[in-house]
Amino acid sequence: MKQFWITFMGSIVGVIVGSVLAVILVIFMIAGLIGSAISNASSSSEPAIPRGAIVLELDLRTARTDSPMRSPFGFTGPLSIVDIVQTLQRAETDDRVHGLFLRANEFGLPAASAEELRGAIEDFRSTGKFVVTHAQGFEGTSVTGYFAVSGSDEIWLQDTASFTPAGLAAEITFLGGAFEQFNAVPQFEQFYEYKNAANTFTETTLTEAHREATLSYMGSIFDTTVAAIAADRELSEDDVRAGFDSAPHSAEAANAFGFIDRLGHVVEAREAALARVEGGASSLSIEDYAESTPEWSNAPVIALIEGQGSIVTGTPDPGPFGGSDSIGGDRMSEAILAAANDDNVRAIVIRVDSGGGSAIASDQIWHAVIRAREAGKPVVVSMANAAASGGYYLSAPADYIFAHATTITGSIGVLGGKIDLSGTFGMVGLNSETLSVGGEYATAFSGQQSWTETQRAAYRAQMEDIYVDFTQRVADGRDLPMERVLEIARGRVWTGAQAVDLGLVDEIGGFRDAIAMAKQLAGIAPESDIRVSRYPALPNPFEALSELFGMSAENAEAAARFNALMELPEIQAALEARQRMQGGELQLRSDAPQPQ
């Protein structure tokens, strides 16, 4: 008994001490964030731009989101893909900027992010400015890291590194066998055979439809990268394929193949880039350049509304310490309507990077797009890495849709279900009994019992209604016959290149192409300046401080612990699985993996 009390009291003391230390840690963290916010908010903190010629530097080894995170302290992160594109466009007309020095990603990027960056590099070079890239190895087997920079004027590789790009691969995990071991019964319905997100829970291996669709879009992405790299490096496509087929290569062999121009260390490559400028130049990070104040303009406004992550109802809050973004039905639809009602806005560009989610929220955003068009505002969609399922649903009514050739899109279908865990609980002697009053459907979403035949039939009927609505939205938005929509729907995923041929997308292009089309549809001359204004605006540092001071110390401590926990990959995977297992809301979701 004495030992029990010693252990018990020791545990209490440990909790108290741990809590005090955690509070102290949070105080230091908050102080650091406040200092960073004040520093960023102060006009005196604007980075000093070197006098004379400049070579911008961009490090692609840093993980980047497609659009800026909406976290109150998101400004501390690296530039998003969209911001990189806009910053390079601004640099094109800046006489001080002579070139760009890139640090290549060694392991691979999402394919459409790589394609967007490649396009930005091509546009930058078209103005007569140079791009020099250095890689400390292309160590991953994915071709996408190399694809992003293959259009550089000069590519350096550290001579002790490897050139390993060989193709694309995707790993798909199936839990069906594991559920059998634990007497769990996955119950899902999907429209139709290509809507394979639920296969993770119900199957033990690839179905024929799953295999067919996955290999089809992966092959399309690979073909796109091969063709682009061949054009960039002035090689034949057969030579590029041969080089990938025989990977990995030493640095010397990659140079002999024509994939690399020079061998050397990063300091040598940077010196060579600066030496390209007659009279010398200074290096400046693209982040510092982006923070420098551009000229104020009263040019016509194009509203930019960005959505990335899962589509959910309401207005999700990523929290003051970060977290993954999601597309809230309320937030995005309100932003679209606000832009539509703003007399200063001439057109709207919606940037989508989402594999889908809530059918209800997707339809809410779809309706806002319709209202914007009825208000006379042209709407252009720019698809990023993915605009599939719910992401395609909200895009369908736009005036014009751009996708990258490597964008994952389509997945016109619906799925939903639950997992009956009563057998699992029984294995450990746990019994949970469900009581209900009213209709039989009251227990349809219980995880403690299987569907009755009546419940399954009713649930499937709900899904069929959504599938009919979805396909009708596509037929109306894309001006396609319903018969054609039903042929290319069935939940199948397509690449942007395939979607253009099918009529689901208007044109292959990136963010800048979408802005140019918005200008055209708004009647703005191509040579005229415009202002791209985000709706809603990103929070500034003082707004971030206000939000932070609204928290108690206890809540700040809890938020810090919770956000650190939530970032763990295993927790993210578990939450994703739990979301899909829950009944209630039917999902317009695609789980097509980004090939690496």
Side-chain angles (χ1 to χ4, degrees):
M1 177 63 83
K2 179 180 179 181
Q3 183 61 41
F4 168 78
W5 286 110
I6 291 174
T7 302
F8 179 72
M9 294 304 296
S11 298
I12 292 177
V13 172
V15 169
I16 294 173
V17 171
S19 298
V20 170
L21 290 175
V23 170
I24 293 173
L25 177 62
V26 169
I27 290 172
F28 277 109
M29 182 170 62
I30 292 174
L33 289 171
I34 292 172
S36 176
I38 293 174
S39 176
N40 279 274
S42 172
S43 59
S44 62
S45 68
E46 183 177 303
I49 303 299
R51 295 180 181 275
I54 297 169
V55 174
L56 297 178
E57 185 161 339
L58 170 59
D59 194 341
L60 296 181
R61 298 172 301 172
T62 304
R64 299 175 188 272
T65 55
D66 184 71
S67 301
M69 297 289 286
R70 294 211 61 85
S71 162
F73 288 96
F75 61 85
T76 60
L79 283 185
S80 68
I81 299 296
V82 168
D83 283 335
I84 289 173
V85 172
Q86 291 184 291
T87 303
L88 287 179
Q89 183 177 12
R90 173 184 157 201
E92 290 172 9
T93 56
D94 189 338
D95 293 337
R96 298 170 301 173
V97 177
H98 288 252
L100 175 66
F101 180 63
L102 287 172
R103 303 292 301 276
N105 186 290
E106 298 128 298
F107 297 100
L109 300 161
S113 292
E115 189 176 353
E116 184 80 70
L117 290 168
R118 176 182 173 273
I121 290 170
E122 183 178 17
D123 290 335
F124 185 80
R125 289 185 63 211
S126 70
T127 62
K129 304 188 180 190
F130 65 82
V131 177
V132 174
T133 293
H134 183 272
Q136 288 185 292
F138 289 100
E139 303 295 331
T141 59
S142 171
V143 299
T144 57
Y146 182 71
F147 172 45
V149 301
S150 61
S152 304
D153 292 277
E154 197 170 80
I155 301 178
W156 288 61
L157 180 63
Q158 189 167 315
D159 56 3
T160 53
S162 299
F163 186 89
T164 312
L168 297 169
E171 292 184 349
I172 303 168
T173 301
F174 295 96
L175 302 175
F179 285 139
E180 288 180 7
Q181 297 296 317
F182 293 97
N183 293 336
V185 182
Q187 295 186 305
F188 284 84
E189 292 289 333
Q190 54 202 60
F191 282 68
Y192 280 98
E193 71 273 22
Y194 292 105
K195 195 69 176 178
N196 47 49
N199 291 4
T200 295
F201 305 107
T202 60
E203 304 291 340
T204 59
T205 188
L206 288 163
T207 64
E208 285 304 310
H210 198 168
R211 182 185 302 277
E212 174 196 350
T214 305
L215 288 175
S216 174
Y217 79 74
M218 288 178 64
S220 176
I221 293 173
F222 185 62
D223 290 345
T224 294
T225 62
V226 167
I229 290 168
D232 290 340
R233 302 302 298 170
E234 298 182 351
L235 299 169
S236 71
E237 291 188 26
D238 288 342
D239 286 343
V240 173
R241 290 180 186 274
F244 291 155
D245 287 345
S246 55
H249 302 289
S250 65
E252 292 77 11
N255 191 22
F257 256 108
F259 289 132
I260 302 300
D261 297 297
R262 298 182 66 178
L263 304 181
H265 284 270
V266 62
V267 64
E268 298 170 307
R270 184 182 287 108
E271 289 171 349
L274 295 174
R276 279 175 169 255
V277 182
E278 186 177 350
S282 301
S283 179
L284 179 70
S285 76
I286 197 168
E287 280 81 10
D288 284 345
Y289 181 76
E291 288 180 16
S292 63
T293 305
E295 281 187 30
W296 184 86
S297 169
N298 63 349
V301 175
I302 302 293
L304 172 60
I305 298 166
E306 297 156 301
Q308 58 188 352
S310 294
I311 302 172
V312 298
T313 55
T315 303
D317 183 1
F321 298 97
S324 299
D325 268 9
S326 54
I327 301 174
D330 285 355
R331 172 181 285 155
M332 191 170 216
S333 61
E334 288 167 4
I336 294 169
L337 295 175
N341 293 326
D342 189 335
D343 293 337
N344 294 317
V345 172
R346 300 284 296 277
I348 299 171
V349 170
I350 300 177
R351 178 75 169 187
V352 183
D353 190 8
S354 174
S358 163
I360 294 171
S362 300
D363 190 66
Q364 180 183 10
I365 300 167
W366 169 89
H367 182 252
V369 174
I370 294 293
R371 292 285 296 270
R373 292 188 62 189
E374 290 174 347
K377 299 296 170 71
V379 179
V380 178
V381 165
S382 172
M383 295 180 171
N385 296 300
S389 202
Y392 186 78
Y393 190 113
L394 67 88
S395 303
D399 291 278
Y400 209 84
I401 300 177
F402 284 94
H404 292 293
T406 56
T407 296
I408 292 174
T409 188
S411 191
I412 302 166
V414 59
L415 65 90
K418 66 176 185 178
I419 296 180
D420 175 10
L421 296 173
S422 58
T424 307
F425 293 160
M427 294 176 67
V428 294
L430 176 63
N431 178 40
S432 176
E433 297 187 8
T434 302
L435 298 175
S436 67
V437 295
E440 181 180 344
Y441 202 69
T443 59
F445 304 132
S446 169
Q448 321 307 325
Q449 63 186 49
S450 292
W451 278 326
T452 65
E453 290 186 8
T454 302
Q455 288 172 337
R456 181 184 286 274
Y459 190 68
R460 187 169 179 82
Q462 283 185 296
M463 295 179 64
E464 186 170 15
D465 285 343
I466 291 178
Y467 185 72
V468 169
D469 288 341
F470 195 170
T471 52
Q472 188 64 58
R473 302 287 198 236
V474 174
D476 294 341
R478 301 303 303 160
D479 194 22
L480 291 170
M482 179 56 72
E483 295 77 10
R484 180 58 173 157
V485 173
L486 294 176
E487 287 176 8
I488 60 182
R490 308 189 70 82
R492 179 157 180 167
V493 169
W494 308 97
T495 63
Q498 294 168 329
V500 168
D501 293 336
L502 297 171
L504 295 176
V505 167
D506 291 296
E507 190 176 342
I508 297 301
F511 176 74
R512 286 181 63 173
D513 298 300
I515 295 293
M517 178 55 68
K519 288 175 66 175
Q520 178 181 326
L521 295 177
I524 302 171
E527 67 277 7
S528 297
D529 292 333
I530 52 98
R531 283 186 296 144
V532 177
S533 181
R534 284 189 163 102
Y535 279 69
L538 295 173
N540 62 41
F542 286 120
E543 290 170 339
L545 283 173
S546 176
E547 181 167 344
L548 182 61
F549 283 135
M551 301 175 66
S552 65
E554 293 80 7
N555 287 342
E557 177 189 356
R561 289 181 170 181
F562 182 72
N563 278 278
L565 180 66
M566 295 295 285
E567 290 302 312
L568 294 175
E570 56 268 31
I571 298 297
Q572 291 288 328
L575 287 174
E576 188 74 11
R578 177 62 178 166
Q579 183 182 34
R580 293 173 195 156
M581 287 190 296
Q582 287 177 333
E585 191 171 358
L586 298 175
Q587 297 286 303
L588 303 179
R589 183 185 299 277
S590 169
D591 263 8
Q594 288 281 350
Q596 297 286 340

